[in-house]
Amino acid sequence: MDSRPVSIKDVADRAGVAVGTVSNVLNHPTRVSSSTRERVQTAIDHLGFVRNDAARQLRAGQSRTIGLIVLDVGNPFFSSLARAAEDCAAENGSTVVLGDSGQDVEREARYIDVFEQQRVQGMLISPVGDVGPRVETLRKRGMPVVLVDRVDAQRRCSSVSVDDVAGGYMAVRHLLEAGRRRIVFVGAKAEFQQVADRLAGARQAVEEHDDAVLEVVEADAMTVLAGRDVGGRIAQRPPGELPDGIFCANDLLAIGVMQAVLLIRGLRIPEDLALIGYDDIDFSASAVVPLTSVRKPTELMGRTAVELLLEEIESPSSRRRQVIFDPELVERGSTTAAVHAAG
Amino acid sequence: MDSRPVSIKDVADRAGVAVGTVSNVLNHPTRVSSSTRERVQTAIDHLGFVRNDAARQLRAGQSRTIGLIVLDVGNPFFSSLARAAEDCAAENGSTVVLGDSGQDVEREARYIDVFEQQRVQGMLISPVGDVGPRVETLRKRGMPVVLVDRVDAQRRCSSVSVDDVAGGYMAVRHLLEAGRRRIVFVGAKAEFQQVADRLAGARQAVEEHDDAVLEVVEADAMTVLAGRDVGGRIAQRPPGELPDGIFCANDLLAIGVMQAVLLIRGLRIPEDLALIGYDDIDFSASAVVPLTSVRKPTELMGRTAVELLLEEIESPSSRRRQVIFDPELVERGSTTAAVHAAG
DNA sequence: ACGTGCCAATGAAACGATTCAACGGCGCAG
DNA sequence: CTGCGCCGTTGAATCGTTTCATTGGCACGT
């Protein structure tokens, strides 16, 4: 019974028209008289015809698909970026298919291969390690590529990324504007570049105030546990040596610090100590004291990445652009007494 | 310069062989003499030939791709399920491409359309609402489908899912085994079926102990905030009416309850009150008191889903199977005093 | 009545890979 | 020397769609 899938030929036969006409109904409905169109449509519905994308693409030479390769779909940053990219692509008649490299170079390479064989319109890649050479050959073969959350040092392809220095700056400036002067920066060596950038931004902000001081405390990792550890040590200092503002290099650290500070020492947040994190993970809004944080403009990045890619697809010779966004400050109760239990 | 992509014909010309021979090098290397094989390979490398999947698939009639449609890639359950599915597919020479329906029926339908047009080998779908009719037509057209995290009431297609009744049972049995007798179940109306199942399992466990009582408390939502609310109300009861074990229908509720109970009343967890959640979200391990929880066997589900699908692809007439897994209990400090600060 | 234009519809060519029947050359047995 | 079988290679047919030059039919103006 399940002999062969229904082809455009079958539809044509049943509707009593030529295959070209069926194709026109599908792709250029205006070229076909309404009576014929109706007849063809009836045949399509009746037979349950589904267009064979492989054949279409073979003839057309191009697909309507964009490949997106992310480091980790479990990471909310990437999942919400993917969502935005999908929406933007859909508005332009394309579809995003997602590949999860899981930070694994091999899987990344496999997805690049698959997408290239599928002749996707272009790829958005948040690369593991150095994809320089790989991207180079892709581009040589005419495959548009946009890097996500990473800039290409050689400016060979467009990219969207975030300015972590600006993020660090705006976090600490926020503390300073709230009147804090004894600032502690908590970070770990993991993901060196980002942490270093955030620290650099923090320094920059502190230097604008003569009476402000910045102390750097190193954590073992970028985790809640490590943060709790650091928080415990800080909370046990004599009152005179306590900071009045803490900026953590990510939210997990900040949540750990918060747990320790509230429980061990009973300090009040934000009255005694203002606390700010980075990344704005889901849970930050639900912490005992909702955590102020710095977040990447994820949706904007996703949309922009797709737009850059479409731009390059339309005019392959257009100039490559490196778009760098400033992150945004999300104010919550951990720095602003007025706001309470905000979502 | 970028005239046209390199085709198998170009490779054949450069290597001085027929196109059929190039195809054989790619698909049946043993049929070709090693000297020819080498010559062809050199031509491929030199020209940067990439196989056109559309043409291959058009001729072959089938792709090596599996479509996976999930409710929300941001949800750790789905991202880790996807990871497992990808691994299992890769071991079988297939590739998984991911579509995120974002709980939106329209997007779900769009991905089903796209995947069907792409003639994927089969689809794994965690459906939004009722996909019954849709799945029916897919199957009629010979497209293998396996449902994920949902059973098909009409048994028309295979599925992998989890027994939430068993989960609720094992959670409460765990509390009972720790000597707790005054149990509270906290749930909300959201996601009715799952919550109802977990409650049913809880009741079942309580009924096995004559001296145990179960009280059901309804929360406004399945969120941390709602949990904090419920926790606050419970913590303010007179000592005689306090429960000694609380089972929350998900981890967010449980974390909210924990926050309230620890801060408002200063009760000790687990000494005064044992607490158990459901889902085992990432954050549960990092709560102030690490949260005992119940988790779905995600990796196993992902692999099994792919296996069921491949089975159906190989023998389309094979019997449909509904695989239902029991969840697993993850013991942490919120119920077991001995375990402390476990990861 | 005849030519002109226009619109709808036609059907064959093309896309690039795979497949397979046919072919040629070579070695070996009779 | 001839015939047979084997192996490696060939090239045409094929998949389902899109595209486009061509055709057929109809209405209208002269």
Side-chain angles (χ1 to χ4, degrees), chain B residues 17-18 20-21 31-33 36 58-59:
Chain B
V17 299
T21 305
R31 291 190 198 162
V32 181
S33 75
T36 311
L58 173 60
R59 180 64 235 242

Side-chain angles (χ1 to χ4, degrees), chain A residues 260-278:
Chain A
V261 164
L262 292 177
L263 288 174
I264 297 181
R265 186 60 179 268
L267 291 174
R268 291 167 306 162
I269 294 178
E271 291 81 356
D272 301 323
L273 183 66
L275 182 63
I276 182 167
Y278 206 103

Side-chain angles (χ1 to χ4, degrees), chain B:
Chain B
M1 44 190 252
D2 257 353
S3 54
R4 270 189 306 99
V6 182
S7 83
I8 209 174
K9 175 95 181 7
D10 302 323
V11 175
D13 289 348
R14 176 165 237 274
V17 299
V19 291
T21 305
V22 177
S23 175
N24 279 333
V25 170
L26 294 171
N27 304 299
H28 309 277
T30 55
R31 291 190 198 162
V32 181
S33 75
S34 61
S35 69
T36 311
R37 204 187 312 151
E38 218 170 287
R39 207 145 33 88
V40 171
Q41 193 56 55
T42 310
I44 288 176
D45 294 343
H46 184 93
L47 295 173
F49 167 72
V50 176
R51 205 212 243 89
N52 184 329
D53 205 48
R56 176 229 260 284
Q57 190 176 310
L58 173 60
R59 180 64 235 242
Q62 225 209 18
S63 71
R64 300 297 294 164
T65 298
I66 293 172
L68 168 57
I69 303 176
V70 301
L71 290 177
D72 175 11
V73 281
N75 182 327
F77 166 67
F78 288 116
S79 55
S80 103
L81 182 132
R83 183 77 53 90
E86 283 159 18
D87 287 342
C88 184
E91 287 162 20
N92 290 278
S94 292
T95 308
V96 170
V97 296
L98 201 50
D100 180 8
S101 72
Q103 317 237 30
D104 176 0
V105 187
E106 261 182 57
R107 293 171 66 124
E108 177 181 84
R110 218 169 53 224
Y111 273 112
I112 293 179
D113 286 342
V114 169
F115 286 154
E116 203 181 0
Q117 291 181 13
Q118 290 184 351
R119 300 290 193 271
V120 295
Q121 294 180 276
M123 301 189 204
L124 306 176
I125 307 180
S126 82
V128 191
D130 182 25
V131 285
R134 195 62 212 265
V135 166
E136 183 85 20
T137 65
L138 279 178
R139 301 193 44 72
K140 255 195 207 126
R141 295 183 197 140
M143 173 69 69
V145 176
V146 171
L147 294 188
V148 174
D149 203 32
R150 169 95 53 112
V151 293
D152 175 34
Q154 277 93 50
R155 322 248 145 195
R156 282 167 304 202
C157 62
S158 296
S159 62
V160 294
S161 53
V162 168
D163 186 347
D164 272 323
V165 177
Y169 175 82
M170 73 203 314
V172 172
R173 196 188 55 189
H174 177 63
L175 291 175
L176 293 166
E177 279 171 357
R180 313 306 164 125
R181 288 298 178 269
R182 302 178 54 88
I183 313 289
V184 164
F185 173 87
V186 182
K189 288 222 181 73
E191 304 180 50
F192 178 73
Q193 192 56 52
Q194 280 100 319
V195 175
D197 286 353
R198 291 165 200 183
L199 175 56
R203 282 196 205 287
Q204 205 173 306
V206 167
E207 278 163 15
E208 292 177 1
H209 287 253
D210 293 340
D211 55 342
V213 296
L214 181 70
E215 175 194 357
V216 177
V217 173
E218 183 156 328
D220 294 333
M222 303 281 279
T223 63
V224 173
L225 215 60
R228 210 180 293 163
D229 207 52
V230 169
R233 292 205 305 272
I234 292 177
Q236 274 157 358
R237 295 180 181 180
E241 296 174 25
L242 279 175
D244 55 6
I246 298 184
F247 169 38
C248 295
N250 80 359
D251 282 357
L252 293 176
L253 279 173
I255 287 168
V257 168
M258 182 186 294
Q259 289 174 349
V261 165
L262 291 178
L263 288 174
I264 296 181
R265 186 62 179 267
L267 292 175
R268 293 166 306 163
I269 294 179
E271 291 81 356
D272 302 324
L273 183 65
L275 183 62
I276 182 166
Y278 207 103
D279 289 344
D280 193 34
I281 63 177
D282 281 350
F283 196 77
S284 298
S286 314
V288 179
V289 179
L291 182 69
T292 294
S293 190
V294 177
R295 100 170 130 213
K296 304 177 184 179
T298 327
E299 291 80 17
L300 191 55
M301 291 176 74
R303 301 193 77 89
T304 307
V306 171
E307 279 160 15
L308 287 178
L309 191 65
L310 292 175
E311 193 178 306
E312 189 172 332
I313 290 165
E314 274 184 35
S315 44
S317 56
S318 63
R319 208 164 52 79
R320 307 291 160 254
R321 300 198 298 163
Q322 323 288 321
V323 179
I324 299 177
F325 288 104
D326 276 353
E328 19 176 345
L329 188 73
V330 184
E331 290 186 36
R332 297 206 185 88
S334 72
T335 56
T336 319
V339 180
H340 206 58

Side-chain angles (χ1 to χ4, degrees), chain A residues 37 48 61 85 100 112 117 125 145 162-163 199 232 238 260 269 285 312 325:
Chain A
R37 203 187 310 152
D100 180 8
I112 293 179
Q117 292 181 14
I125 307 180
V145 176
V162 168
D163 185 348
L199 175 54
I269 294 178
E312 189 172 332
F325 288 104

